[in-house]
Amino acid sequence: MMGPSHALSGAAVWLSGSWALQHFYDYEQSPLALAVGTAVCAGGALLPDLDLSGKVTRNQGGATVARTFGVFSLFVAEVMEKVSLGVYYATKLSRDPKRSNGHRTLTHTIPFTVLVGWGTTTLCARYGKWAVIGILFFMIGLALRGLFDKWAERAGWLIVTLVSAGAAVFTAANLPGDRGYPMIGLAVGVGCFVHIIGDMITRAGVPILWPIPIKRRMWTPISLPDKIALRAGGKTEIVVVRTALTIVSVLATLGLFAPSVLQKFNLDL
Ligand SMILES: [Zn+2]
């Protein structure tokens, strides 16, 4: 799947999940908490592809998401790719093939999603507002890059960086710590997981079973059979999948806000 579809799927899952929580379990979130969770989940749904680096010294190449903060995120991607490759070789079994880069390995596994979610939650809980500002800055940047890719490309990474920083500071100042912060870690983890599923339904195989060894392979790529799998970047993905995800997001948002708007309207009459 391509960046914008990944981001959109993260947003759709967070919004519909929030709707379900409100509808079935009466778990209410403030509009700000909802917006932040949605943005962070959309950003988290791009995070795994931060293992696709380009040529840092020449400021070229890399996944779209790796270009969010210009050459800085390109460098992060370079590090992430090398670490992933290191883990690949450290855990590979005899039937795992040789690789020259770490793309779609460690960051596309369940332990990674859990680690990132837990790590984010821990950072927020331990360091409070400062950690929240840093994490939100990073995740909102990724979300902007994914959800508004055309705008982000035109605006350039510096504008994206400034907008993310502004949004992060505003949010940290207004989001209550007790209920808002734990959601950030959950949103990052859920986003990562949604990304892996997205890659699985396109033909790209994902080592989702790692670290379970199967037939002397630790990094077995799992994907849908070619016949039913979507072609990454194909028409079905860009038109059908994105339209469906947009409709789900809009319906969930309506479901979340319509009841309270209607109620207010009635009371005012
Ligand atoms: Zn991916």
Side-chain angles (χ1 to χ4, degrees), residues 1 6 45-46 48-49 51 103-104 107-108 195-196 198-199 204 206:
M1 255 194 202
H6 277 305
L46 288 166
D49 274 352
D51 66 348
H103 178 48
R104 230 179 256 134
T107 59
H108 288 64
H195 177 105
I196 299 175
D199 273 354
V206 179

Side-chain angles (χ1 to χ4, degrees), residues 2-79:
M2 298 175 73
S5 317
H6 277 305
L8 201 53
S9 61
V13 165
W14 193 260
L15 285 169
S16 39
S18 300
W19 172 80
L21 277 179
Q22 191 189 73
H23 195 76
F24 298 109
Y25 299 99
D26 282 328
Y27 185 89
E28 299 253 358
Q29 296 179 69
S30 70
L32 180 66
L34 260 174
V36 172
T38 306
V40 172
C41 197
L46 288 166
L47 197 62
D49 274 352
L50 211 62
D51 66 348
L52 189 61
S53 63
K55 297 186 174 70
V56 180
T57 44
R58 272 184 270 160
N59 196 7
Q60 283 173 344
T64 327
V65 50
R67 311 192 59 85
T68 306
F69 305 107
V71 74
F72 302 103
S73 44
L74 212 51
F75 177 72
V76 173
E78 181 79 29
V79 173

Side-chain angles (χ1 to χ4, degrees), residues 208-214 217-220:
I208 195 167
L209 296 174
W210 184 85
I212 303 169
I214 295 160
R217 275 196 91 165
M218 191 73 103
W219 297 91
T220 318

Side-chain angles (χ1 to χ4, degrees), residues 41 44-45 47-48 107 112-113 116 187-197:
C41 197
L47 197 62
T107 59
F112 178 82
T113 63
V116 166
V188 177
V190 169
C192 285
F193 184 71
V194 171
H195 177 105
I196 299 175
I197 301 298

Side-chain angles (χ1 to χ4, degrees), residues 42-230:
L46 288 166
L47 197 62
D49 274 352
L50 211 62
D51 66 348
L52 189 61
S53 63
K55 297 186 174 70
V56 180
T57 44
R58 272 184 270 160
N59 196 7
Q60 283 173 344
T64 327
V65 50
R67 311 192 59 85
T68 306
F69 305 107
V71 74
F72 302 103
S73 44
L74 212 51
F75 177 72
V76 173
E78 181 79 29
V79 173
M80 205 125 134
E81 189 255 304
K82 290 289 173 289
V83 170
S84 301
L85 191 62
V87 173
Y88 181 84
Y89 272 100
T91 59
K92 114 184 224 318
L93 297 177
S94 58
R95 284 195 55 210
D96 282 310
K98 284 192 176 132
R99 297 188 64 113
S100 56
N101 78 77
H103 178 48
R104 230 179 256 134
T105 55
L106 180 66
T107 59
H108 288 64
T109 61
I110 304 284
F112 178 82
T113 63
V114 174
L115 187 77
V116 166
W118 171 80
T120 308
T121 310
T122 309
L123 281 177
C124 291
R126 189 166 300 174
Y127 300 104
K129 265 199 176 131
W130 288 108
V132 171
I133 291 180
I135 289 161
L136 286 180
F137 163 65
F138 194 72
M139 301 312 291
I140 291 172
L142 296 188
L144 287 174
R145 183 83 220 199
L147 292 175
F148 309 106
D149 58 323
K150 299 251 159 62
W151 167 81
E153 215 155 286
R154 250 183 289 127
W157 68 270
L158 197 61
I159 302 283
V160 173
T161 303
L162 290 174
V163 173
S164 321
V169 171
F170 172 82
T171 307
N174 291 289
L175 193 68
D178 54 339
R179 238 182 169 188
Y181 292 0
M183 295 302 257
I184 297 175
L186 184 67
V188 177
V190 169
C192 285
F193 184 71
V194 171
H195 177 105
I196 299 175
I197 301 298
D199 273 354
M200 263 172 68
I201 61 167
T202 48
R203 282 177 207 168
V206 179
I208 195 167
L209 296 174
W210 184 85
I212 303 169
I214 295 160
K215 292 183 189 156
R216 279 181 288 137
R217 275 196 91 165
M218 191 73 103
W219 297 91
T220 318
I222 308 286
S223 69
L224 283 185
D226 271 4
K227 263 193 192 147
I228 43 171
L230 293 177

